[in-house]
Each structure stands twice: as structure tokens, then as C-alpha cells.
Amino acid sequence: MALLKEAQRIAAEFEYPDKDVNEAVKEFIRQMDEGLERQGATMSQIPSYVTAVPNGTEKVDTLIGYATIPRDLMVAKTSKELFSFLAKQIETFLRTHHSDHFETAKRRRTTVSAKSGYREEDVFNLGFTFSFPVNQIGINKGQLARWTKGFDIDDALGKDVCALLQQEIDLLHLPVKVAALVNDTVGTLMARSYTSSGKTGTLLGAIFGTGTNGAYVEKLSRVTKMDKLQGGADYDKSTGHMIVNTEWGSFDNHMSVLPNTPYDRALDDESVNPGIQMFEKRVSGMFLGEILRRAILTMHSHEDPHSALFKDASSADNDLTSTTTIADDSPLFRQWGIDTSFLSIVEEDHSDHLRITKQTLERDLSVSAPSTEDCEAVKTLVHSIGKRAARLSAVAIAAVVISTNKIKEDDLIDIGVDGSLVEFYPNFEGHIRDALRQIEGVGTEGEKKIRVGLAKDGSGLGAALIALVAGNKAAPN
């Protein structure tokens, strides 16, 4: 039982009690307010220049495509390599799904005398989902502020990402205009509002997947930095609202309220962006597996053999009558070696003697003959890491519903979510709701008002909706 006690000791380091949750909500709201007032705040609070959400009555004729970025392009030497790849993906997509219009438009480019080479009515309006922090100064203009999610291409920083993509599109002579720059959270918010039932528009679109972020509907009067933004474009002020991309992954980068274990610190020190995205590094799927890996290695190297993970002294210590070993090339010894899907499998495992966890350890992590106690220890760590991530997610949700006063004004608060954690991680939403009930200003009655709906791949539909609006606005009368 010494092994399980050691696992429980480490798991206790990931506990995130109600008191700490409430302190974090207050600080989250303070940083939200700061971001609405000025540029350069910890939480960027980026205006999207989208000022209303759809209600489902809009008619949309769209094609939605996605591109998987090869890992080598995530750290390419130049931004041209990345954006050239994206433009070629657009070309392939059009040839596949809209070949007639594509070929016709291509021919027209050689016959129309317009400077662009084609008539505006022949152009596809593109909603460009770009899920990185940008200084957005228009519906289709935004300068890259920093990379996240493992991307690192220096020469793109400070450049207009829409212009970079449009340049590569034009080089391929494609009939495509980048009409809207859309963060995936803004897209999720738009898609959820378009598809959800009821009269209440969606307040918040949130991603809990590889990364985490949220966008919400804010009163325009509260976004006081709008008048100070340089090069700001015209936008519709009549709605009195602005959809704001929080970039909440950077909440509390200065670490005043966030939990901080030795495993969090080691992960951050060896990341590509130390000291940045500190909230995301404790919540998102990209990092949970790495936190677990470091906790497992700490247990594996314990000086007491009875407390060491995957290190039974002999087969007599193992219920499988076989000594546990870890292959030298096990992903356990490699940074980012554990995918968050592993945590989902272990969390969900209720089989006899945790048989599924044993099989997954052997198959995915090259751990031979793990004992039942080994598996119980791993499951204890997994549960604590996943639960902490969900409770931190509740901090962000609560801060938005409290700061907008929707918790008092509305009987129903609609939230659209997307991402692998909220979709697949067992009881992730349940842990969020448990935390919400303990938050001052939400409580049991407030939690009941919050409706969470999955906006599956919502960023694509949302980008299309925004491109539609932007294209219509730009079209001549």
C-alpha cells in the first residue's frame, strides 16, 4: 500500500479547493477588466470587430475545410512556408469541392480587365480561422502577437496574417479573398448561437481541447480601449456589443493565484514559451499528458522500492507473477510522450483489476506487466490532474457570467464549447459544474441557469458565418 499512499500524496498537490477557486475568479475578472481598458494587459481581451451573434434565421451557403499542419511547418524558418502550404490546401479544396466555379473563375482572370484580374462576384469569401493571439485592427486584419501550441516562426511576429495568406493565395491566382480573420473561440460562439434553440443568444464560446480560450459578448461601452487602438477599422456600433476574444490562456502569467506544482514548473521551464500561457498549461489537452508523465517519473524514481512506480522488486510483488519493466525507448522518457487521450482511457476504466489501463500502459507506454497497484496509482494521478483542469475551467466560465452580469439578468445563459477535453474526457463538465456551485456569485441556483452545448467543429461554421457577413458588408450596392 506504500505505492498507493505515495500516489495519493502527489495527487494532493493537484487539489484545488473552493477557497482558491473563488480567489482565482476575482483575479480573473480583474484581469478581464484590465484587458478591456488597455493594450498590453496580461489577458489581451482582443476586439473581434464582430458586433452581433446569429439567431439561426440566416441563410448560409458554405464550404468548410480544415488543414492539418505538418509538425515541421510549426517551426518553419519562414512564415512563407506555412502560408504557402495553407494556400495550396485552399487550392486543393476548391478543385475537389467546387471545380466548375473554380475553373471558370480561373479563366475569367485572364479576360477581365480589373486590377485584381477577376470580378468581385466571382470571388469566394474566406473566413480564416487563426487560433493564435493577434492584435486585430479590423474584420480581416490582424498582426500576430505571439505563437502558442508549439508553433514558433519568428518572422511572422508583428505581421498581418491575413495579408500573408492573401499574398500566397494571389500567387496561385485563386479566386479567394480573405474576408474575415476569426479566432476559433469566436467561431465557436457564432456557430453555437446559430444552432442553439431558444431566444437567448449565446454568451460565451469556449475551447477546451489542445489549447484553451474563450470569446464572449461584451457591452461595447466597457471596451474602453477601442478608441485608442491604432488603425482601427470601421465597425457596426449600433448593436452596442462587441465579441471579445479573451486569450485567457495567458491568465495570471505572473502566477498570483494559479496552482503551481513541481511538475507544472518543470513543464514550463522546458516549454518553447516559458512564463507564458500559464493558465493554458494547467488546463489544455496539450499539456495534461506531460504533467502526468513528469509525476509518473517522479514516482518511478522514488528511493523506496515499495513506493516506486513500475519497480516491483520481484515477481512476488506483482499480482501478474511477472516483474514490471519499462522499455528504454518508452514514451515515458520522452517529452510530450503521453497524449491526453491516455488520461481519458484511464479515467474511464472501471474494469476488473484495471485491465484496460494495464493494456494501455503496455501498448502505448511500453510498460511490461504493470501490477494492479501500479494501475491504481496511475489512475489516482490521472484523476487529480483532470479534475484540477476542470475546476480551473470553471474559473474562466464563472468570471465571464459574473462580469457580464448575465447571472443576474438572464434566466438562461447559453455557452458553446468545443474541444477534446469537454467532448471526450470523462465527467469533465461534471467537475466544472461542481466547482461552479461553490463559486460566490454563481452558486447552486446560478449553475442551473448555465446551459452548456457542444458546438462540434464550430470554429469552421462560425468562420463561414462571419465571412458571409463581412462579404455582404464589403459588396457594392
Side-chain angles (χ1 to χ4, degrees):
M1 295 300 291
L3 175 60
L4 197 53
K5 286 184 178 179
E6 177 62 13
Q8 291 167 344
R9 184 193 68 78
I10 291 178
E13 297 184 57
F14 293 99
E15 289 182 2
Y16 195 44
D18 296 342
K19 176 178 177 292
D20 293 348
V21 169
N22 277 281
E23 288 182 3
V25 171
K26 293 174 184 176
E27 177 62 15
F28 201 107
I29 292 172
R30 189 195 71 78
Q31 292 186 28
M32 285 178 67
D33 291 344
E34 183 182 47
L36 294 175
E37 294 170 1
R38 66 177 181 87
Q39 291 284 80
T42 300
M43 205 180 308
S44 299
Q45 293 282 74
I46 302 168
S48 69
Y49 293 85
V50 180
T51 58
V53 295
N55 57 23
T57 62
E58 299 83 356
K59 293 183 179 179
V60 186
D61 183 13
T62 67
L63 285 173
I64 301 173
Y66 302 89
T68 300
I69 309 298
R71 182 164 288 275
D72 61 318
L73 288 182
M74 294 169 64
V75 290
K77 292 182 178 179
T78 67
S79 57
K80 182 178 177 62
E81 296 173 62
L82 173 61
F83 287 93
S84 175
F85 168 82
L86 294 175
K88 290 173 183 175
Q89 295 296 302
I90 294 170
E91 180 180 37
T92 300
F93 182 81
L94 289 178
R95 286 187 183 278
T96 302
H97 298 284
H98 225 310
S99 58
D100 292 344
H101 183 103
F102 175 71
E103 294 299 337
T104 301
K106 290 274 283 189
R107 287 195 298 270
R108 283 175 178 165
R109 289 181 68 92
T110 64
T111 61
V112 177
S113 60
K115 182 179 179 180
S116 62
Y118 51 85
R119 293 193 298 264
E120 285 297 319
E121 60 264 31
D122 299 325
V123 175
F124 290 96
N125 286 312
L126 174 69
F128 179 28
T129 302
F130 189 76
S131 306
F132 303 93
V134 297
N135 296 316
Q136 194 158 352
I137 55 175
I139 194 71
N140 66 343
K141 295 179 181 179
Q143 299 161 341
L144 178 63
R146 63 182 180 274
W147 290 108
T148 59
K149 306 181 184 73
F151 281 73
D152 188 17
I153 307 172
D154 284 343
D155 82 334
L157 297 175
K159 293 182 180 178
D160 182 352
V161 294
C162 291
L164 291 174
L165 179 58
Q166 189 68 62
Q167 181 178 351
E168 298 303 322
I169 287 171
D170 291 345
L171 287 174
L172 294 177
H173 305 292
L174 303 180
V176 174
K177 176 186 177 182
V178 182
L181 176 62
V182 184
N183 183 271
D184 56 353
T185 56
V186 178
T188 297
L189 169 59
M190 296 289 282
R192 171 62 185 174
S193 193
Y194 182 74
T195 58
S196 65
S197 59
K199 297 180 180 179
T200 302
T202 301
L203 171 66
L204 169 67
I207 303 291
F208 299 108
T210 303
T212 184
N213 190 17
Y216 71 104
V217 182
E218 180 59 272
K219 291 183 178 70
L220 185 57
S221 60
R222 297 195 69 225
V223 193
T224 55
K225 68 180 178 182
M226 287 299 297
D227 295 335
K228 306 170 189 174
L229 296 179
Q230 294 182 351
D234 291 334
Y235 57 94
D236 182 6
K237 301 179 178 66
S238 65
T239 66
H241 293 101
M242 174 67 72
I243 295 178
V244 174
N245 164 23
T246 66
E247 289 299 333
W248 71 34
S250 63
F251 165 61
D252 200 34
N253 279 344
H254 53 284
M255 296 299 298
S256 64
V257 294
L258 283 177
N260 202 22
T261 70
Y263 322 104
D264 296 308
R265 290 192 289 272
L267 180 153
D268 180 56
D269 289 343
E270 296 181 29
S271 68
V272 298
N273 54 352
I276 298 175
Q277 299 295 104
M278 301 302 271
F279 183 72
E280 183 170 71
K281 286 173 180 174
R282 287 152 177 77
V283 172
S284 74
M286 179 175 179
F287 299 101
L288 299 187
E290 181 62 10
I291 294 171
L292 174 65
R293 186 185 73 87
R294 291 174 183 275
I296 285 176
L297 288 182
T298 296
M299 287 195 65
H300 177 63
S301 60
H302 200 287
E303 59 185 13
D304 180 358
H306 297 291
S307 299
L309 189 62
F310 305 139
K311 264 190 180 179
D312 47 50
S314 69
S315 59
D317 298 330
N318 193 319
D319 56 307
L320 298 180
T321 66
S322 178
T323 303
T324 304
T325 59
I326 305 178
D328 291 339
D329 61 350
S330 167
L332 279 171
F333 302 125
R334 186 174 69 246
Q335 189 180 25
W336 314 116
I338 298 181
D339 188 84
T340 300
S341 60
F342 173 81
L343 281 78
S344 295
I345 293 170
V346 173
E347 182 72 60
E348 198 170 28
D349 184 12
H350 300 290
S351 60
D352 291 341
H353 304 290
L354 297 179
R355 171 179 47 82
I356 294 172
T357 297
K358 290 178 183 178
Q359 293 171 349
T360 308
L361 283 167
E362 291 185 333
R363 183 188 68 235
D364 295 352
L365 301 183
S366 301
V367 178
S368 176
S371 69
T372 298
E373 192 175 14
D374 284 329
C375 295
E376 289 173 344
V378 170
K379 189 175 178 70
T380 298
L381 296 178
V382 164
H383 180 74
S384 64
I385 293 168
K387 183 178 180 180
R388 187 188 72 164
R391 290 177 68 82
L392 283 165
S393 301
V395 168
I397 293 171
V400 170
V401 300
I402 293 172
S403 69
T404 58
N405 208 37
K406 292 296 182 181
I407 199 72
K408 295 180 179 179
E409 294 176 352
D410 295 348
D411 294 329
L412 175 67
I413 303 169
D414 191 73
I415 295 175
V417 295
D418 194 10
S420 55
L421 281 178
V422 74
E423 184 175 4
F424 299 118
Y425 199 93
N427 203 34
F428 196 79
E429 183 181 338
H431 290 313
I432 289 176
R433 290 191 175 277
D434 286 343
L436 286 173
R437 286 190 285 270
Q438 304 305 318
I439 293 174
E440 299 167 11
V442 179
T444 302
E445 293 305 311
E447 181 270 325
K448 291 177 182 177
K449 292 182 178 182
I450 298 172
R451 179 176 69 183
V452 176
L454 188 66
K456 178 68 175 172
D457 297 326
S459 59
L461 174 58
L465 286 162
I466 297 170
L468 175 70
V469 173
N472 289 341
K473 183 178 179 181
N477 293 328

